[in-house]
Amino acid sequence: SIAEYGSSGINAEYGGPSIGYEAIGLVDSSLPTVGIWAQQDASGTIDAEPGESERYEKGVVFYMAENRVVGVVAWNIFGKIPIARQLIASKDQSQDFGKLAKLFDIHAPDTSISS
C-alpha cells in the first residue's frame, strides 16, 4: 500500500509497550528500504554487543527511489520530522546510511511521548 504524507508528517502512538512513530514523505511498501536500528537489551540499555535479550525498539527507516531518500519513518524517535523533511528535500544521493541515521540520534536516551 502507499501512504504519502505532506510536510507536516504523521505521528502515531499505540497502546502497549511504548511504540510510536513519525513518518514523512513517500512511505510505500513497494519501495526499497534501509533500516538502521539501535540495539537495546531487556533492561532498556542500548548495547552494541548482540545478545539473546536484544530488542530493536528504536530506529529509522529510509524509503528510497531513484537512489535518494523519498520517505522516512522514525520508530520511537520523536521531534525529527524537520530533519527528515530537509533530507527528502535535499534530493541527496548519499548512500552513507549510518551517517544519515546519526542525524536522528537513534542512540539518544528515550524521547517517547508520555501518555
Side-chain angles (χ1 to χ4, degrees):
S1 71
I2 296 176
E4 189 166 356
Y5 303 104
S7 61
S8 63
I10 187 169
N11 180 337
E13 187 166 3
Y14 298 97
S18 299
I19 297 172
Y21 67 90
E22 291 183 339
I24 190 167
L26 184 60
V27 179
D28 179 342
S29 63
S30 71
L31 292 174
T33 59
V34 176
I36 306 292
W37 298 89
Q39 298 173 348
Q40 189 171 9
D41 67 18
S43 70
T45 304
I46 294 174
D47 187 0
E49 296 297 320
E52 287 185 28
S53 63
E54 183 174 82
R55 299 179 309 199
Y56 294 89
E57 293 184 352
K58 207 175 190 186
V60 61
V61 179
F62 302 103
Y63 286 77
M64 306 296 295
E66 300 176 9
N67 293 319
R68 64 181 188 88
V69 175
V70 296
V72 176
V73 174
W75 191 259
N76 281 340
I77 301 170
F78 300 96
K80 301 299 181 182
I81 288 295
I83 292 169
R85 184 181 299 119
Q86 288 176 350
L87 176 60
I88 293 166
S90 76
K91 300 183 180 180
D92 184 13
Q93 292 190 342
S94 171
Q95 298 294 311
D96 187 348
F97 295 104
K99 181 179 175 184
L100 295 178
K102 287 180 183 180
L103 298 172
F104 293 85
D105 298 324
I106 66 172
H107 294 289
D110 189 13
T111 58
S112 63
I113 299 173
S114 351
S115 305

